[in-house]
Amino acid sequence: MESSTTKMPGSAASVRNACKLCSPLGASLVFKGIHGCIPMIHGSQGCATYIRRYIISHFKEPVDIASTNFSEETTIFGGHKNFNLGLDNIIRQYRPEVIGISSACLSETIGEDVNRLIKEYRQMNWGSELLPELVYASTPGYQGTHIDGFHETVSATISTLAVKDAKVGEHINIFSGFVSPQDIRHLKEIISSFGLDYVLFPDYSDSLDNPNWEKYHLIPPGGTLVSDIKRTGAARGSIEFGYILNEGAMNTRVNKAKQVLTAGEWLEVNRNIPYHRIGMPIGIKETDKFFELLEWFSNKPTSQKLKDERGRLIDSYVDGHKYTFGKRAIIYGEEDLVIGMVLLLLEIGIEPVLIASGGTGGRLKQMIDELTEGKTKDVKIMNNMDFESMNEMADELKPDIIIGHSKGYYIARRLNIPLVRIGFPVHDRFGAQRLQHLGYQGTMQLFDRIVNALIEYKQENSPIGYKYI
Ligand code: SF4
């Protein structure tokens, strides 16, 4: 399913069990974060099936993703008939406010001009009350990873819908990236506590983690309102989480001349909206940066409740450092999540021995070395990594713990060491949509889980069945 190569010493010149997923998966997640939106992948049916299977398994929610269902004929003569039929069917069955269209390998390889197809469809249906907003993101599977597809779709949605020449409002934009529904709920609580008006996009905190329904909803409730996405174009500032964002897509783009700005960058360039880029607020230092920005935007101090959360986190570091200090960790996953986790590990005295991502941004080492002020300069930091290479390196590195998503479980099992599951996908545990990573609260949960995994390992492997520590 994934392309691109990695060249590790002694390893094959191909990806074996890639540490990444494909681009339209990220696009589908973003479209699930728009109110009244149905995602449609312009490609073969297998793309939509694989992506639905991954999302459903992680979030445990029903997920409809339409497909234009490419066949041999479509591949040779173009997909315009299937494209129009797909849109007609979705409108008839779902009456959506938005259809989020992403491309896949096949439609991109034959050079399908999706923007032209959209233009023609709009012309054919001009004046129809049922015609929804049509948003398109170019996301071939061989371009970057699911995270690149995610950020490029956020950007495509904003550049399609954000208002122009509107009076600047009091609100701010938050582009929080690919975080869990629980993280999004917590972010909304934090921002509201400063009394700020805001637009957070994409917001799948309900649509991918909904309460029990009395009746079935064709389109799950929740998501950022289209009216709110439009007003991102009149905000007084944007905050975007992530140091790497969609740089992997830029490196692997077939059309090298085409640069896609992130949503925050696009609004700065095209709507003159001041832009603040920070890392994912994981750990005390990175979370402090987020709170400083919120204080600045709101002109209000952080609430006592949140200050107390920070104080409790520091207290827990003091209480728990004896379990974490000097432990060796392998950490892998999406580049910006990995950066946040490395900064947290250094705060709690854990030594990363391998920092890896399937991401193709190429700046992971440089970024981490800068943020850690050289503390990681001798650590193996790998872009474009796969699990087989990681597995081969693991014995020599002698890790005490692995931190990443569930696809690395087999390495932890072989080494008989704990795996702390974070990020996406988590296919082998319950409650992944409620895992918290962000803010002082999310950091506390990560810290507790890491400490408990180490304690549990020691207890399980002790010849004495001790009951307290
Ligand atoms: S977009 Fe490409 S890589 Fe992704 S599922 Fe479809 S064929 Fe596979």
Side-chain angles (χ1 to χ4, degrees):
M1 296 262 175
E2 292 88 9
S3 58
S4 77
T5 58
T6 184
K7 288 187 176 59
M8 296 290 305
S11 77
S14 64
V15 165
R16 297 163 300 160
N17 196 1
C19 184
K20 61 183 176 179
L21 304 164
C22 86
S23 220
L25 185 145
S28 303
L29 287 164
V30 174
F31 291 139
K32 291 296 294 176
I34 302 176
H35 186 267
C37 179
I38 290 287
M40 180 176 93
I41 297 176
H42 191 42
S44 55
Q45 199 176 21
C47 308
T49 305
Y50 139 71
I51 286 169
R52 285 183 62 239
R53 184 230 170 277
Y54 258 70
I55 298 178
I56 292 168
S57 167
H58 179 93
F59 292 99
K60 311 279 188 284
E61 296 294 359
V63 175
D64 286 2
I65 297 174
S67 167
T68 52
N69 203 5
F70 264 53
S71 62
E72 290 86 344
E73 189 192 326
T74 335
T75 308
I76 294 165
F77 297 110
H80 63 283
K81 271 195 216 153
N82 288 26
F83 186 85
N84 291 347
L85 185 62
L87 292 180
D88 285 347
N89 285 342
I90 294 172
I91 293 169
R92 184 168 40 79
Q93 288 176 39
Y94 293 91
R95 298 278 195 268
E97 287 175 50
V98 182
I99 299 179
I101 303 155
S102 53
S103 53
C105 293
L106 207 45
S107 53
E108 294 274 354
T109 303
I110 65 165
E112 192 89 288
D113 184 351
V114 178
N115 282 314
R116 180 179 60 81
L117 297 184
I118 290 176
K119 198 172 163 195
E120 285 173 3
Y121 190 84
R122 280 205 186 104
Q123 281 166 354
M124 280 188 301
N125 292 277
W126 201 248
S128 164
E129 279 177 13
L130 298 179
L131 184 66
E133 299 282 1
L134 301 175
V135 175
Y136 167 57
S138 165
T139 52
Y142 44 77
Q143 182 177 284
T145 70
H146 60 298
I147 278 299
D148 298 296
F150 185 101
H151 291 299
E152 301 227 334
T153 305
V154 173
S155 181
T157 308
I158 295 300
S159 59
T160 305
L161 297 176
V163 289
K164 199 175 177 186
D165 300 328
K167 187 167 167 272
V168 176
E170 286 300 309
H171 58 289
I172 60 168
N173 302 323
I174 308 284
F175 301 115
S176 44
F178 185 20
V179 296
S180 77
Q182 185 66 31
D183 283 325
I184 295 176
R185 287 190 283 270
H186 184 48
L187 282 176
K188 293 199 284 191
E189 275 170 20
I190 290 173
I191 304 160
S192 299
S193 77
F194 285 87
L196 284 163
D197 181 13
Y198 65 92
V199 177
L200 185 149
F201 179 68
D203 179 0
Y204 42 79
S205 59
D206 285 325
S207 52
L208 287 176
D209 190 17
N210 51 248
N212 192 30
W213 299 329
E214 295 287 319
K215 64 175 175 80
Y216 184 72
H217 296 270
L218 269 178
I219 302 180
T224 313
L225 297 172
V226 172
S227 55
D228 275 341
I229 299 174
K230 288 185 175 173
R231 72 188 183 114
T232 57
R236 65 190 172 98
S238 302
I239 301 175
E240 192 161 42
F241 294 164
Y243 294 113
I244 304 283
L245 294 159
N246 65 335
E247 287 179 21
M250 299 201 204
N251 286 344
T252 51
R253 210 180 292 289
V254 176
N255 178 0
K256 297 283 181 205
K258 191 174 170 238
Q259 189 195 2
V260 174
L261 301 175
T262 69
E265 288 168 342
W266 189 91
L267 287 168
E268 183 176 58
V269 171
N270 295 282
R271 299 289 185 271
N272 208 20
I273 296 175
Y275 170 51
H276 304 265
R277 180 187 284 197
I278 54 174
M280 284 204 172
I282 298 173
I284 289 174
K285 210 168 159 192
E286 292 298 291
T287 305
D288 282 352
K289 289 183 190 169
F290 179 47
F291 277 80
E292 278 160 22
L293 267 178
L294 294 177
E295 288 187 351
W296 182 80
F297 270 118
S298 65
N299 205 20
K300 281 187 189 157
T302 300
S303 69
Q304 193 54 46
K305 179 174 175 277
L306 290 163
K307 280 184 188 159
D308 287 348
E309 272 181 11
R310 186 181 189 279
R312 274 186 213 106
L313 178 58
I314 293 172
D315 188 55
S316 70
Y317 280 10
V318 174
D319 295 341
H321 86 278
K322 61 188 171 194
Y323 303 108
T324 55
F325 184 77
K327 292 287 185 288
R328 297 161 65 83
I330 290 179
I331 160 90
Y332 62 83
E334 296 136 14
E335 286 157 294
D336 282 310
L337 178 62
V338 160
I339 290 173
M341 286 305 300
V342 167
L343 295 174
L344 165 62
L345 294 185
L346 292 181
E347 281 182 1
I348 61 178
I350 292 186
E351 186 190 331
V353 289
L354 172 63
I355 301 167
S357 174
T360 50
R363 263 193 340 117
L364 188 62
K365 175 149 184 64
Q366 179 202 334
M367 201 66 238
I368 290 178
D369 284 349
E370 264 174 42
L371 289 163
T372 61
E373 294 164 354
K375 290 191 190 79
T376 48
K377 71 175 172 18
D378 297 326
V379 178
K380 287 185 187 351
I381 303 180
M382 317 293 297
N383 264 118
N384 207 9
M385 191 61 159
D386 64 46
F387 282 108
E388 280 309 296
S389 304
M390 226 185 286
N391 197 19
E392 285 164 9
M393 294 166 80
D395 289 303
E396 200 183 312
L397 295 168
K398 302 203 181 333
D400 299 294
I401 190 166
I402 299 184
I403 299 171
H405 52 74
S406 62
K407 286 183 82 180
Y409 169 64
Y410 76 106
I411 304 175
R413 181 180 159 95
R414 185 180 69 75
L415 297 177
N416 187 32
I417 57 173
L419 167 67
V420 172
R421 289 160 180 80
I422 59 162
F424 176 93
V426 176
H427 290 321
D428 62 351
R429 285 291 182 276
F430 190 72
Q433 66 276 52
R434 290 180 290 277
L435 289 180
Q436 219 174 322
H437 312 76
L438 302 189
Y440 304 123
Q441 207 179 86
T443 304
M444 176 83 88
Q445 295 209 5
L446 287 170
F447 183 63
D448 287 350
R449 291 175 61 220
I450 291 168
V451 171
N452 281 327
L454 291 165
I455 290 174
E456 191 178 323
Y457 174 79
K458 199 169 169 193
Q459 190 180 32
E460 296 278 311
N461 289 280
S462 156
I464 309 159
Y466 57 83
K467 284 177 281 194
Y468 60 80
I469 52 175

